[in-house]
Amino acid sequence: MAENLIYIELFKNAYKRGYDPPQEQILFTIQGQNIGSIQNYCIISGLPKSGKSTFTTSIVASAFNTYDIFGMKLQTLPGRNKILYIDTESSEFDFYKHMARIKNVGNFDELPTFFDSFCLRKESPETIKLMIKAYLENTPECSIVILDGLLDIVMNYNDEVECRKVVNWIKEITTVNNLLLIGILHTGKNEGKTLGHLGSNTDRWAQSTLSVKKEENGTFVLEPKFLRSAGGFKPIEIEYSIEDNKFIQINSVAAEVPKIRHFTNYTEQEHNNVLNSIFQNQKYIKYETLISEISKIEKRGVNFSKSYLKFFKDKNFISKNLQNEYFDYRQQF
């Protein structure tokens, strides 16, 4: 009986003649390059205090805007805009500091409601994995998981069997739940190699492994280590600006003037991000406030915002009630 069940399971995964799979859904890009797509995972590695969390929070913040941050862009699947952020290392103070950094980099007052973040420092490796699996089973609209850090879901990063099981678990949840996972992993002092058998295993099957290091001058640099779906990207160097009260990019890529895109060229998910940001804390909004909110999010003038508002109305994304207040019409269905 058991052999028959295995045989049936085998053929569920068989090649289907005449079948064309959906086009690859890329969710994480750097300088336009495919760094992470659905049913894959990426690794951001570096020594402790090397700037991994700084880059990670910037990547997360880019998901809540229509523009890149330091050339990096994260976006969710249409209709599945939930992002799960798991912090396994930080104290409560540092955890909220990371959340504040996301808001600072993204230039918004509060985190959107489609972003779920949890501090699981006190939990065991097995409990953390069970919690993530339970969340995904109950939140099918989640398409991105950020796991900071991977060392806390193993008891021994040099145990070859345990580490392989962890990688198999990552492969399982990314495939079954059709999502992208971005994991943060410490490196050892030995030429920046990811730690032990865990690092060797994650590097082997990751779609991308990125390396973060802190330079002697105090700047942080993100660069490619292993890329399976991209040709490469220029290293990204950032430093903290006291004047701007945030990290800024200082290398040649930062000097390039970003192309200003018109809203008519946005993807459906980018439109959703704008509306989700506007209506996350208020259900009904007056015309003038709505124009102001669009201008704030898009960092554009009043005429642009009025045109964008008309676009939203024409597409039936928003509507008005009897009090002439606008509401998110998408939420009615």
Side-chain angles (χ1 to χ4, degrees), residues 29-172:
T29 59
I30 296 180
Q31 297 165 20
Q33 296 289 312
N34 178 6
I35 304 300
S37 59
I38 282 296
Q39 297 189 6
N40 282 299
Y41 71 91
C42 306
I43 299 297
I44 299 175
S45 63
L47 289 168
K49 312 303 180 186
S50 62
K52 296 186 299 299
S53 293
T54 299
F55 278 104
T56 302
T57 50
S58 298
I59 292 168
V60 172
S62 73
F64 310 142
N65 292 293
T66 58
Y67 49 84
D68 299 351
I69 295 179
F70 306 142
M72 307 180 296
K73 186 72 178 81
L74 189 68
Q75 60 181 15
T76 56
L77 286 174
R80 294 181 56 201
N81 66 343
K82 280 279 189 178
I83 296 177
L84 171 63
Y85 184 104
I86 300 292
D87 187 332
T88 65
E89 299 182 350
S90 299
S91 65
E92 181 181 64
F93 177 84
D94 287 334
F95 174 66
Y96 278 86
K97 187 177 179 180
H98 292 331
M99 298 303 104
R101 186 181 296 149
I102 294 174
K103 292 186 285 187
N104 177 263
V105 174
N107 292 310
F108 36 81
D109 297 327
E110 189 50 270
L111 295 172
T113 55
F114 54 88
F115 176 68
D116 289 329
S117 54
F118 302 91
C119 184
L120 303 183
R121 184 184 187 186
K122 69 180 187 298
E123 308 298 344
S124 68
E126 196 59 35
T127 300
I128 293 171
K129 288 185 287 184
L130 288 173
M131 285 179 169
I132 292 173
K133 190 170 184 179
Y135 174 91
L136 296 175
E137 288 175 350
N138 289 277
T139 317
E141 60 270 33
C142 177
S143 60
I144 295 174
V145 174
I146 313 291
L147 181 49
D148 183 4
L150 283 174
L151 281 180
D152 290 312
I153 60 172
V154 296
M155 293 300 295
N156 181 359
Y157 61 78
N158 272 321
D159 186 313
E160 188 172 359
V161 174
E162 183 188 14
C163 293
R164 180 58 191 270
K165 286 181 178 179
V166 165
V167 171
N168 286 346
W169 174 80
I170 294 174
K171 289 160 67 176
E172 177 190 359

Side-chain angles (χ1 to χ4, degrees), residues 195-210:
L195 283 174
H197 285 295
L198 180 60
S200 299
N201 276 277
T202 54
D203 283 349
R204 186 171 302 162
W205 284 282
Q207 185 175 15
S208 303
T209 297
L210 313 178

Side-chain angles (χ1 to χ4, degrees), residues 250-264:
I250 64 172
N251 61 11
S252 59
V253 176
E256 298 173 0
V257 178
K259 295 179 180 179
I260 299 178
R261 296 167 60 215
H262 196 265
F263 62 78
T264 52

Side-chain angles (χ1 to χ4, degrees), residues 168-188:
N168 286 346
W169 174 80
I170 294 174
K171 289 160 67 176
E172 177 190 359
I173 65 169
T174 53
T175 301
V176 171
N177 299 285
N178 203 37
L179 55 82
L180 169 68
L181 182 143
I182 300 176
I184 317 305
L185 183 60
H186 292 312
T187 60

